[in-house]
Amino acid sequence: MRTIFWDGCVKLIDQTLLPDKFEIIECRRVEELADAIKRLAVRGAPALEAAGGYGVALAAHERDFSSVDELKEHVKRAAEFLASTRPTAVNLFYGIERVLKAAMDGNSVEEVRQLALSEAEKIADEDVERNKQMGKHGAKLLEDGFTVLTYCNTGRLATVDWGTALGVIRSAVEEGKKIKVIACETRPLNQGSRLTAWELMKDGIEVTLITDSMAGIVMQKGMVDCVIVGADRIVRDAVFNKIGTYTVAVLAKEHGIPFYVAAPATTFDWGREAKDVVIEERSREELIYCNIKCKQSLIAPSDVKVYNPAFDATPLKYVTALITEKGVIYPPYEENVPKILGF
Ligand code: MRU
């Protein structure tokens, strides 16, 4: 099953409930989808790309319009609203803009609706295809018997299907290699323990859960052959990914362990530098409660000062290679990224 899909409205797996409950939610209004994005019911850069695209299509379908101009105005406003939900993953904006552009070519209400939806469906289909390509390229880096440390969730749930970093691992396993995974829990929202561990166990891929603070000891003990993570935005000098990725990258360098980043071309924002990127800051509740959903059990004084950035920037000097659907890219990135991705 896809993480997000169209079935008369936008349907998606509510990732906030996993691994306790598997539930599909229906978004019939753009507001509902925007809320799902903000509370991370749908998350992960490529899944957000699809969500952005489907969100614009949903705007065209969510009510009646008396003219095509009224519909186009509504769709434009919805696109702006969707773009205001989360600032860091560039894929969200790519998905929104691509479908908006397609929709604006329509000359009737019906045509705008049809163009928007078919473009959104194309984005979703392309995501699955490019993840498989990325997987094939990346699997060449994994030897039989490797143990891979990963961070956050970069699997089926973070994409439409298959995954980026977890897609590489899946592809290697599909080729017959025995791969073990060490999953960091990924505080504060536990995408590693709740989602990565759940996904890999469902697929029968051996996974061991550690806390984020254990990444150092497993490297020091020689338990890790390489690290693979995903990305929310790759700029000329850094990779933006879930908070804590930078720490893992520095540790990997210290221990001489390859650090790979798997991401599609739509995650690249090559015209920008790290200083230009907004890092999302999330609520204090995510840090002070044991369970953000029920907000009951405090794990910090309720009035403590909190800093909760959701992403960090790993300078490209820590990245051994970038795994994309067009191939594996090695340094010098300044030269090789535009050459391979055609920017
Ligand atoms: O806040 P999230 O859960 O949306 O953050 C997701 C990540 O940081 C992922 O590692 C990234 O989007 C790559 S997903 C293939």
Side-chain angles (χ1 to χ4, degrees), residues 15 40 42-48 86 89 151-155 158-159 163-165 189 191 195 229-232 240-243 245 262 264 280 282 310-311:
Q15 300 186 35
L40 273 54
V42 59
R43 45 142 302 277
L48 290 175
R86 296 190 75 190
Y151 203 80
C152 195
N153 172 265
T154 60
T159 59
T164 56
L189 293 180
Q191 289 93 330
L195 309 176
V229 298
D232 289 86
F240 285 80
N241 192 49
K242 181 52 54 195
I243 188 73
T245 302
E280 177 182 7
R282 296 188 60 88
F311 301 94

Side-chain angles (χ1 to χ4, degrees), residues 130-146:
R130 72 194 181 189
N131 291 339
K132 292 280 174 93
Q133 290 301 326
M134 204 184 299
K136 264 193 209 136
H137 294 302
K140 296 196 185 101
L141 302 167
L142 304 186
E143 287 171 29
D144 189 27
F146 259 26

Side-chain angles (χ1 to χ4, degrees), residues 90 112 117 131 139 150 204 263 340:
V90 72
V112 170
L117 185 54
N131 291 339
T150 192
I340 294 179

Side-chain angles (χ1 to χ4, degrees), residues 30 55-56 59-82 100 103-106 108-109 112-113:
V30 171
V56 175
H61 287 79
E62 68 179 344
R63 66 169 174 84
D64 293 333
F65 299 93
S66 52
S67 70
V68 68
D69 291 340
E70 187 198 347
L71 165 56
K72 285 186 179 177
E73 266 320 299
H74 177 73
V75 168
K76 279 188 213 159
R77 276 198 306 274
E80 272 171 35
F81 177 55
L82 286 162
L100 183 63
M104 290 304 124
D105 285 342
S108 66
V109 168
V112 170
R113 285 181 171 160

